[in-house]
Amino acid sequence: MISVPRQHQHEHGDEHGHGHGHGHGPGQHTHDDVHPGKTAIRSDPQESEETIVLEQKVLAKNDLLADHNRTHMAQHGIVAINLMSSPGAGKTTLLERTVRSTNHRVAVIEGDQETLLDADRIAATGARVVQVNTGAGCHLDAAMLQRALSQLSAEDNTLLLIENVGNLVCPALFDLGEQMKVVIISVTEGDDKPLKYPHIFAAADLVVVNKTDLLPYVDFDMAVCERNARSVNPDVRILALSARTGEGLDTWLSELDRVMPVVA
Ligand code: MG
Ligand code: ZN
């Protein structure tokens, strides 16, 4: 197992705007404050415009690198899947089980702000793994994937599972060159997640609802979650599973077969 040292820590609003650039001075607040909960307060439009220009530049550069990654991986038969979720949705547990259950040759890239903990878990399965620590950064970008790929030196015809940093916001914006974007939510999070974080659900090819073994103990309505996900992404595929018990895992494994040709 190898770890890739962070090469640059991006600060919020420096490399890409996260909407943190705007202050919270008194001028920004409106009479909405008088009726909290009734009206959403949105950011200052002028400051947002500057943020958008900066973000577009960063994203255009990222998209070029993502295309480069895509071409490189296609040449080597590497199929990459970008797994995105909040912290604690069970990405690493799903990866552990996937590595142990799939027939494909698998390699893993682990994204976390700090530690090698998740990479250690994956390494214990025997899969090749590289940990990327993003420091202050809250998502993986195409440049990080490029560096991780060169560290990984995966064999040709490998299924590459990329665990993004736990965050449902900016990973949606950063194409890595992957073939499939998967958003994982767990039943402990609430079935309204797709409405609160519509961008990442709109970008997803597949939504995985994890921890179905906990359904009896939580107020999570699968039908409502599906309806909410489809309201932002009408064609998205949705499947439910428990990475802990293995329930529903077959459907997940066949989703991987859809994008990864089975090698004879
Ligand atoms: Mg993890
Ligand atoms: Zn970010």
Side-chain angles (χ1 to χ4, degrees):
M1 189 261 297
I2 317 156
S3 104
V4 176
R6 73 184 80 125
Q7 298 215 338
H8 62 282
Q9 296 184 23
H10 82 261
E11 300 300 325
H12 280 288
D14 180 18
E15 207 177 44
H16 67 97
H18 280 32
H20 289 262
H22 54 85
H24 295 279
Q28 196 182 332
H29 290 257
T30 68
H31 65 275
D32 292 339
D33 285 358
V34 183
H35 306 287
K38 279 200 173 172
T39 316
I41 300 173
R42 294 191 177 250
S43 56
D44 181 302
Q46 207 176 345
E47 287 186 50
S48 294
E49 248 170 65
E50 288 164 21
T51 303
I52 286 165
V53 170
L54 175 63
E55 194 161 90
Q56 280 170 343
K57 274 190 191 168
V58 171
L59 290 177
K61 190 178 155 209
N62 184 76
D63 285 348
L64 277 175
L65 276 174
D67 282 342
H68 179 88
N69 289 343
R70 205 176 339 265
T71 305
H72 169 81
M73 291 190 288
Q75 282 165 351
H76 292 276
I78 297 172
V79 173
I81 301 189
N82 183 3
L83 298 155
M84 303 174 287
S85 81
S86 316
K91 293 186 296 301
T92 314
T93 305
L94 179 61
L95 289 187
E96 287 173 305
R97 199 174 260 278
T98 304
V99 171
R100 293 195 162 108
S101 311
T102 182
N103 293 319
H104 298 294
R105 180 186 297 123
V106 181
V108 176
I109 290 172
E110 278 290 338
D112 274 307
Q113 290 197 320
E114 298 292 345
T115 80
L116 304 176
L117 292 170
D118 283 358
D120 288 343
R121 288 171 60 185
I122 298 300
T125 68
R128 201 183 284 226
V129 58
V130 163
Q131 175 85 48
V132 178
N133 284 142
T134 58
C138 41
H139 61 272
L140 294 178
D141 65 25
M144 294 174 197
L145 179 63
Q146 189 180 35
R147 288 196 297 275
L149 277 170
S150 72
Q151 289 283 325
L152 189 66
S153 47
E155 291 174 77
D156 286 6
N157 304 310
T158 289
L159 177 65
L160 177 63
L161 301 169
I162 303 166
E163 180 175 338
N164 216 312
V165 180
N167 172 3
L168 284 178
V169 184
C170 46
L173 297 171
F174 287 81
D175 185 11
L176 304 178
E178 72 279 66
Q179 290 217 1
M180 180 159 74
K181 286 187 203 297
V182 179
V183 173
I184 303 172
I185 58 169
S186 62
V187 302
T188 55
E189 292 175 52
D191 43 35
D192 54 0
K193 269 271 159 87
L195 302 179
K196 290 178 175 173
Y197 301 94
H199 300 293
I200 205 157
F201 283 88
D205 299 296
L206 173 69
V207 171
V208 172
V209 181
N210 189 21
K211 308 192 187 179
T212 51
D213 52 308
L214 300 180
L215 271 173
Y217 312 106
V218 292
D219 291 322
F220 184 94
D221 188 324
M222 194 68 74
V224 170
C225 181
E226 287 195 27
R227 193 164 67 235
N228 288 340
R230 293 230 157 78
S231 75
V232 298
N233 188 344
D235 299 322
V236 73
R237 301 191 300 283
I238 302 170
L239 64 89
L241 56 77
S242 166
R244 196 171 75 84
T245 68
E247 176 190 39
L249 198 75
D250 287 352
T251 321
W252 161 246
L253 294 176
S254 53
E255 283 289 342
L256 300 181
D257 294 340
R258 284 167 66 109
V259 287
M260 183 74 195
V262 179
V263 181

